[in-house]
Amino acid sequence: MFHVTSKHSTARRLTVLTAATAAAVCLTAGPAFAHVEVEADKAQALAENVEISFDAESESDTAGITEVRVVLPEGIAPADVTYGEGPKGWKFTAGDDGYTVEGPALKAGVNAEYSVVVKQLPDAGKLAFKTLQTYSDGRIDRWIELDQDGENPAPTLELRPAAPGAKPAGPSPAESETASSSPIPVETEPSSSPAAEAKEKDDDSGLSTGAWVGIGVAVVVVAGGAVYAVRRRTGAQG
């Protein structure tokens, strides 16, 4: 027995199949739409005093963002970054490898938008700002992948080539500060006392003071003996 399928039935099946496929694609690709965006007006290598704006998109319908921690790319030191603008009540804290912007939880679904000012951008083609985004319920979104096609790509700023004649600025005061500005003292020998100086002079003459005293005593003894001998001889003759 053969079943005859009408054109209308086939069309309905194709429509249902297409809708189901589209829904599956949307559900699979949905989380990838949320990420952290970054932009700057002076996105150019070696540009100075550049304000960089970030937009950390919210992925939660029940919890608000409370903290955004950023690991700075190579060539930007935490000491060269200052806070620009951000959510009300939030504060900026520099760390060893980056900075943290945090404060009262934002409303669920509200993005965390803020900006920082960088003293000078490095001579590079692009800068990746690895970001950890924390919510009030403890959830953490890790936007740290360098592959922009990954599921959790790090916000990356594309830079134009440096302007002609642009040069890296000098080191920051913290890096150029020396351990001590006072000269290192030079060791000197203590000054000699008068007695020591006299001894040194005696040593320079070849004989010590004790030797000279011994010689003097010997001379006196010899002279006394000679006088005694002369007197004895004279008495004997008389």
Side-chain angles (χ1 to χ4, degrees):
M1 181 177 181
F2 296 94
H3 294 279
V4 179
T5 304
S6 66
K7 294 182 179 181
H8 294 291
S9 178
T10 302
R12 283 197 299 269
R13 289 181 181 179
L14 290 175
T15 301
V16 172
L17 180 61
T18 302
T21 302
V25 171
C26 290
L27 290 174
T28 302
F33 287 111
H35 54 280
V36 179
E37 297 180 354
V38 57
E39 61 180 6
D41 291 337
K42 295 191 297 182
Q44 186 174 21
L46 298 181
E48 299 183 25
N49 299 319
V50 180
E51 183 175 12
I52 304 178
S53 300
F54 294 86
D55 184 359
E57 299 181 5
S58 176
E59 282 192 317
S60 176
D61 295 330
T62 58
I65 302 173
T66 60
E67 177 184 298
V68 177
R69 184 184 184 283
V70 173
V71 177
L72 290 168
E74 184 178 357
I76 300 179
D80 293 334
V81 179
T82 56
Y83 195 32
E85 297 180 345
K88 184 178 180 180
W90 281 35
K91 63 179 181 178
F92 173 92
T93 304
D96 294 334
D97 58 357
Y99 63 82
T100 299
V101 182
E102 60 184 336
L106 303 178
K107 292 183 179 180
V110 175
N111 298 349
E113 300 179 11
Y114 72 94
S115 65
V116 297
V117 178
V118 179
K119 181 179 179 181
Q120 184 180 40
L121 297 181
D123 191 3
K126 59 183 179 180
L127 303 174
F129 298 84
K130 296 182 179 181
T131 301
L132 301 180
Q133 183 175 325
T134 304
Y135 294 81
S136 57
D137 60 359
R139 169 182 172 176
I140 300 177
D141 290 341
R142 304 175 185 276
W143 306 105
I144 59 176
E145 296 181 10
L146 298 180
D147 183 5
Q148 294 302 300
D149 294 329
E151 294 184 357
N152 300 93
T156 301
L157 182 65
E158 300 286 343
L159 301 183
R160 300 187 301 275
K167 297 180 180 180
S172 61
E175 296 174 341
S176 61
E177 183 178 0
T178 58
S180 173
S181 59
S182 59
I184 300 175
V186 179
E187 294 184 0
T188 58
E189 296 182 359
S191 58
S192 302
S193 63
E197 292 179 355
K199 183 177 182 303
E200 290 176 359
K201 291 180 180 180
D202 290 340
D203 292 341
D204 293 339
S205 64
L207 294 174
S208 64
T209 302
W212 282 111
V213 171
I215 293 174
V217 172
V219 171
V220 171
V221 171
V222 172
V227 171
Y228 175 78
V230 171
R231 289 180 178 181
R232 184 176 181 184
R233 183 181 303 175
T234 302
Q237 290 177 358

